[in-house]
Amino acid sequence: MSLSKYNMEKENLSVVLHSQGDLRLEQRPIPEPGPNEVLLQMHSVGICGSDVHFWQNGRIGDYVVKKPMVLGHEASGRVVKVGSAVKNLKEGDRVAVEPGVPREIDEFFKSGKYNLSPTIFFCATPPDDGNLCRFYKHSANFCYKLPDNVTYEEGALIEPLSVAIHACRRAGVTLGSSVLICGAGPIGLVCLLVAKAMGASQVVITDLSADRLVMAKELGADFPLTVKREDGPEEMAKRVEGLLGAQPHITIECTGVESSVQAAIYATRPGGVVVLVGLGAAMTTVPLLNAALREVDIRGVFRYCNTWPIAIAMLASKKVNVAPLVTHRFPLEQAVQAFETTRQGQGVKIMLKCDKTDQNP
């Protein structure tokens, strides 16, 4: 779309959360990019569990929705306007958006762990607006050009893929690792893809849902394991060991459910690593002594940093295929229906299409 055409279409339909349970589609002004920013015409934006959680609960932990906020942070789009100081992008470039942009050059930024900067801007985390809209401005340094063989939807899926890259990196997944992944939702599934790409030889993945495990099997899981709510954590750990013939080196916990976190610790080999990706209760009871006495390291994960270039390289080289994760697509106008579909747990990843003139992947 040429700039003149974009000027004529002066509408910026946006998905705005006003307060708990109050999700609205409304027109907002098209923003003007600053010197180091670009204006994007959004193309594909995935719905994340956190978007739904903010909608349903009005908060996640200490992040509370106090004023209307645009949702969405898994996004890709096309540059339609470039700030005066921007060198790396030009009009027409297709880009993936990294939603976390540090506001200051603090110790975390300097050490390369900018995701931990307390003042970071982050799309759709109160009070910062997200990008589930037609037009959105963002720091040019955090927009990454997509190669021609990577689709917009794949570009949007770099966000969840980044969580997996960061988690697998923190876990130390390498050639020959055996890995247990707890939970086969979108994040568990991308962790499976990334663990395999990083050299994991055997992956067990657990879930309550048989459907999710069918998808996991199709994506390369060696041992899908159906769990029941009443299963004991130690018994679960034994089943995992039985499947692998030994305890896994690494467990990536993607549910946040207390019993699953307990099972993750029991299941992991002495000297191994448990990475906590899923978010559960603020206070969770775990067998800490068991972990301590067996030197099982428990590591946290907060989003990601320095992952977009890696993810783009993995997608462009076809080392990872995220396309099957997208099970539903809705035009932006049907955002409320799309959110309802996500809330009901239908499908895996639901994609909103923000460009009226191009609804392709």
Side-chain angles (χ1 to χ4, degrees):
M1 183 192 283
S2 69
L3 204 55
S4 58
K5 189 171 170 200
Y6 127 74
N7 278 331
M8 288 185 330
E9 291 202 11
K10 272 283 187 253
E11 64 114 20
N12 187 19
L13 192 65
S14 307
V15 179
V16 184
L17 179 64
H18 281 253
S19 58
Q20 181 178 352
D22 184 4
L23 188 65
R24 305 182 201 172
L25 273 165
E26 56 191 44
Q27 292 294 345
R28 291 217 158 177
I30 295 177
E32 191 57 43
N36 295 299
E37 295 176 325
V38 289
L39 180 66
L40 303 176
Q41 171 160 29
M42 302 313 297
H43 186 286
S44 298
V45 181
I47 299 179
C48 174
S50 68
D51 293 316
V52 174
H53 200 281
F54 277 125
W55 168 43
Q56 291 295 298
N57 302 279
R59 67 185 300 158
I60 294 179
D62 297 335
Y63 299 108
V64 183
V65 178
K66 293 179 176 156
K67 63 180 184 62
M69 173 181 81
V70 179
L71 289 172
H73 60 266
E74 308 180 356
S76 62
R78 197 163 40 78
V79 177
V80 290
K81 206 168 187 180
V82 179
S84 56
V86 174
K87 306 260 194 302
N88 60 319
L89 294 170
K90 62 184 188 309
E91 203 185 306
D93 283 348
R94 300 162 61 251
V95 297
V97 178
E98 178 171 3
V101 181
R103 286 187 168 98
E104 48 193 309
I105 304 177
D106 55 17
E107 58 170 305
F108 303 104
F109 184 98
K110 287 176 180 172
S111 65
K113 298 181 176 181
Y114 58 83
N115 57 312
L116 302 180
S117 176
T119 57
I120 194 168
F121 165 93
F122 198 90
C123 291
T125 295
D128 301 332
D129 283 326
N131 43 32
L132 201 35
C133 50
R134 299 248 192 252
F135 294 99
Y136 168 77
K137 69 170 184 177
H138 199 67
S139 164
N141 285 322
F142 289 80
C143 294
Y144 300 81
K145 200 168 173 343
L146 292 172
D148 292 341
N149 69 339
V150 176
T151 66
Y152 280 114
E153 287 186 0
E154 288 171 325
L157 288 165
I158 290 174
E159 196 280 340
L161 190 60
S162 285
V163 174
I165 293 169
H166 191 58
C168 287
R169 229 196 237 159
R170 295 268 297 147
V173 177
T174 187
L175 217 50
S177 299
S178 57
V179 179
L180 165 63
I181 297 171
C182 305
I187 294 296
L189 294 174
V190 284
C191 285
L192 160 66
L193 291 173
V194 172
K196 280 288 187 180
M198 286 171 78
S201 55
Q202 291 191 299
V203 178
V204 178
I205 187 164
T206 66
D207 205 281
L208 294 163
S209 158
D211 291 346
R212 293 251 155 128
L213 291 175
V214 168
M215 170 79 88
K217 185 80 179 158
E218 287 168 3
L219 292 174
D222 300 282
F223 302 105
L225 176 58
T226 313
V227 294
K228 298 185 190 71
R229 289 194 193 278
E230 60 272 18
D231 287 345
E234 288 173 277
E235 183 214 340
M236 265 298 308
K238 276 273 172 282
R239 285 166 70 189
V240 171
E241 184 177 2
L243 288 171
L244 289 170
Q247 293 171 303
H249 298 105
I250 289 160
T251 300
I252 303 174
E253 210 298 309
C254 301
T255 72
V257 175
E258 185 174 77
S259 59
S260 185
V261 178
Q262 294 168 355
I265 291 172
Y266 288 130
T268 306
R269 189 179 303 201
V273 177
V274 174
V275 170
L276 303 177
V277 183
L279 301 174
M283 288 293 174
T284 303
T285 304
V286 296
L288 203 55
L289 206 64
N290 175 287
L293 293 176
R294 298 189 307 115
E295 294 192 6
V296 171
D297 290 356
I298 301 172
R299 297 183 188 168
V301 157
F302 187 64
R303 299 172 179 157
Y304 33 65
C305 57
N306 304 303
T307 53
W308 257 254
I310 297 170
I312 289 171
M314 284 164 69
L315 291 169
S317 64
K318 307 299 178 198
K319 288 272 179 287
V320 164
N321 179 18
V322 291
L325 295 173
V326 180
T327 53
H328 295 67
R329 294 175 178 85
F330 291 86
L332 184 60
E333 295 86 340
Q334 292 173 23
V336 178
Q337 192 185 333
F339 268 76
E340 188 52 44
T341 305
T342 312
R343 187 184 69 78
Q344 291 167 7
Q346 294 180 38
V348 179
K349 182 54 69 178
I350 295 183
M351 206 51 82
L352 279 159
K353 311 302 285 185
C354 305
D355 184 344
K356 278 195 290 199
T357 62
D358 177 16
Q359 301 269 307
N360 297 311

